[in-house]
Amino acid sequence: MRQDQVELDQRRSAQVFAGADRVASGLALFDAVLLDRDGTLVEDVPYNGDPEKVRPVTGARAALDRLRAAGLRLGVVTNQSGLARGLFTRAQMEAVHARIELLLGPFDTWQVCPHDDEEACGCRKPAPGLVRAAARDLGTVPDRCVMVGDIGRDVTAALAAGAAGVLVPTPVTRPEEIAAAPWVAPDLPAAVDEILRRQAAVVPNAPPWSTSGDAPGSGLERARGSVLGVRAEWPATVGRSAAPVGTATAGRRGTVLVVRADSAGDVLVTGPAIRAVAAGADRVVMLCGPRGRAAADLLPGVDELVEHRLPWIDPAPGPVAPQDMHTLTARLAALGADEAIVFTSFHQSPLPLALLLRMAGVPRVAAISDDYPGSLLDLRHRVPAGVPEAERALSLAAAAGYGLPDGDQPVLRLRADAVPRPPASFGPPGYVVLHPGSSVPSRACPPEVVVRIGRSLTDAGYRLVVTGAPQERELTAAVAGPTGLDLGGRTGLAELAGVIANAAAVVVGNTGPAHVAAACGVPVVSLFAPTVPFGQWGPYRVPTVRLGDASAGCRDTRAADCPVPGHPCLATIEPAEVLTALRLLDVVADDTRTTVGPTATAARSTRTEPYAAGAAATATGGSG
């Protein structure tokens, strides 16, 4: 992990840490597009050393020219084991590449692995070496690159480097590779269409009310003193700012209410969008639910928090109580918000809250809604299926006119001043965190599987730290075994973030700590149940290796409890796969280490630097 501490706005607490060195490249998601050669750019001719056999795939030249016109740099990353096998010479390969450039235009970098699988190099895909080398050569970092390829190795290499991976299947692509890919396009032109659409989606637009006078709903604005017969006298909760209420200063847009009422992970992935809003608002108030409050406390850019359970969002809702809704409406009215942006997941509706916001007198409301909103929304935004949740939220903020400021990147971040340092007994950074549980049972590995993974990690020489919620203490103790450090039930979310920030990698399912790891820039071995799409909910823009059966019967069911006997999507994971994944992420164990403590050495990782923010950790609360 590498840490940045950047003062984005001196007015609010904006010190953050995030993974990897970032490049200030404006508002774009991507700087470069990397492409596999055979099967992606040109028809696959095995071990081709003859330029006359080069045949571009349909539409390749026009698609690549569109990327060039958009200012994206292009690179080719290709395995060419025919060199190692003596099937063609380097001169013949370079003649093939010259022919490709003649037909398809110039590329800004060519990265070639000349080795065979038996050589176990770090550049042959699925290893991420070529992706990292291409990013360096193009003057950027992997998480600002998209990798397009036709087989699973291409996507694995991209994700392990921290880049986005797009699979364009061909007849040789295996079904399980298609199922596991986070992003699938039918052909190269379609992949380019989506890359450019996603680029444009996060660039701020002029919101509808900026050019048409009053917002459509502004006629509903009323005196904020009385709403639904309830006096609006609720205090503005945990005030963190003395910014004026209901007024906008020059160049800024007053008080903006942002809403994300889900669990911790959902709140964390909305962080980039909230930072974008904070860059253009005088004051940002966030409405969150009790399940996400701890995560909301860690987000940069938030001046005030209002906590309230929304029964149409909460996964274990109580009845809708009229008095509770009256109280919430009065509370919202007391904020004096100039506008509200309601962030939701792809299966949730913003309209119940939009109605309350209208009744509270909020003059402008923006949200993503597939349902017809009538006059409840001034900005009804639409997003295609499959977009990562962080980008989905960023695109809503952009449609409302908000974008990340120069120097900030579309990655998850935490406030460094809110994340405590782990205690000295942890020793140096570089241990591996294993988080075996999940608040959603269908997303947790069977206990016997994670116990075996824990044993394999310690047997392989990794320094193991096991985390979990208070109700998971029996499980975390079993997973930690005699040599791992069991922190089950001993960390709140902030303390958990401090533990994760010093890790070389985190092994975790699709649950909040995976997004904490992404916010800390820590590589993730993702034990991902396919009940929800990996492309939407996988760790965002951080080196990741996905494990598990992506084509299992639970796929896309959104089931909270596994609907398939035996939990096959995760029960089939072998500990050896986890060890292989860690090696792909360049997290290498010290075989002499068997204990956790001040004298233990760290797992070796090129991404690990000491954590340097916050106070000593405490040992209370749940793990989130």
Side-chain angles (χ1 to χ4, degrees), residues 21 36 119 134 194 201 272 277 301 340 355 428 479 541 579 606 613:
D21 295 325
D36 174 55
E119 297 182 65
E194 182 61 6
V277 174
L355 176 61
V479 173
R541 295 173 85 103
L579 298 178
T606 57

Side-chain angles (χ1 to χ4, degrees), residues 18 195 200 409 495:
I195 290 169
Q409 297 298 310
E495 291 75 36

Side-chain angles (χ1 to χ4, degrees), residues 593-610:
R593 181 184 59 253
T594 58
T595 61
V596 175
T599 60
T601 56
R604 297 188 296 276
S605 170
T606 57
R607 291 176 182 78
T608 301
E609 292 181 358

Side-chain angles (χ1 to χ4, degrees), residues 509-549:
N510 177 26
T511 188
H515 303 299
V516 172
C520 296
V522 173
V524 177
V525 178
S526 180
L527 314 178
F528 197 93
T531 53
V532 294
F534 180 73
Q536 287 182 244
W537 288 106
Y540 186 62
R541 295 173 85 103
V542 69
T544 302
V545 176
R546 177 185 183 171
L547 300 179
D549 182 359

Side-chain angles (χ1 to χ4, degrees), residues 304-466:
E304 293 184 24
L305 283 176
V306 175
E307 178 184 330
H308 200 100
R309 189 186 304 273
L310 302 185
W312 54 91
I313 299 291
D314 196 90
V320 177
Q323 185 57 45
D324 188 49
M325 295 299 99
H326 293 177
T327 300
L328 175 59
T329 306
R331 195 173 190 181
L332 295 173
L335 296 173
D338 296 282
E339 59 189 276
I341 304 178
V342 183
F343 297 105
T344 51
S345 292
F346 69 101
H347 61 281
Q348 297 170 343
S349 173
L351 299 184
L353 182 62
L355 176 61
L356 298 186
L357 290 168
R358 288 301 195 208
M359 300 177 78
V362 177
R364 298 187 294 269
V365 182
I368 298 171
S369 181
D370 290 327
D371 297 323
Y372 173 63
S375 59
L376 294 179
L377 299 179
D378 302 301
L379 172 61
R380 179 194 185 189
H381 188 53
R382 309 293 285 275
V383 181
V387 174
E389 286 287 309
E391 286 178 32
R392 189 174 184 273
L394 261 177
S395 73
L396 173 58
Y402 296 101
L404 288 167
D406 289 343
D408 197 358
Q409 297 298 310
V411 295
L412 309 191
R413 297 186 188 274
L414 305 177
R415 287 174 41 223
D417 64 329
V419 179
R421 183 195 304 271
S425 60
F426 275 53
Y431 43 78
V432 172
V433 170
L434 174 54
H435 190 92
S438 172
S439 59
V440 180
S442 64
R443 302 179 191 174
C445 271
E448 62 275 14
V449 173
V450 284
V451 168
R452 289 170 54 215
I453 291 172
R455 293 293 186 274
S456 294
L457 289 170
T458 54
D459 288 348
Y462 288 99
R463 188 158 47 106
L464 178 64
V465 175
V466 183

Side-chain angles (χ1 to χ4, degrees), residues 6 18 26 28 37 47 49 57 64 77 80 117 150 153 158 177 193 226 321 332 370 544 608:
V6 182
R37 195 190 84 175
Y47 306 113
V57 301
L64 296 175
V77 292
Q80 294 298 325
D117 275 328
D150 67 318
R153 282 180 173 232
E177 295 174 332
D193 286 344
S226 179
L332 295 173
D370 290 327
T544 302
T608 301

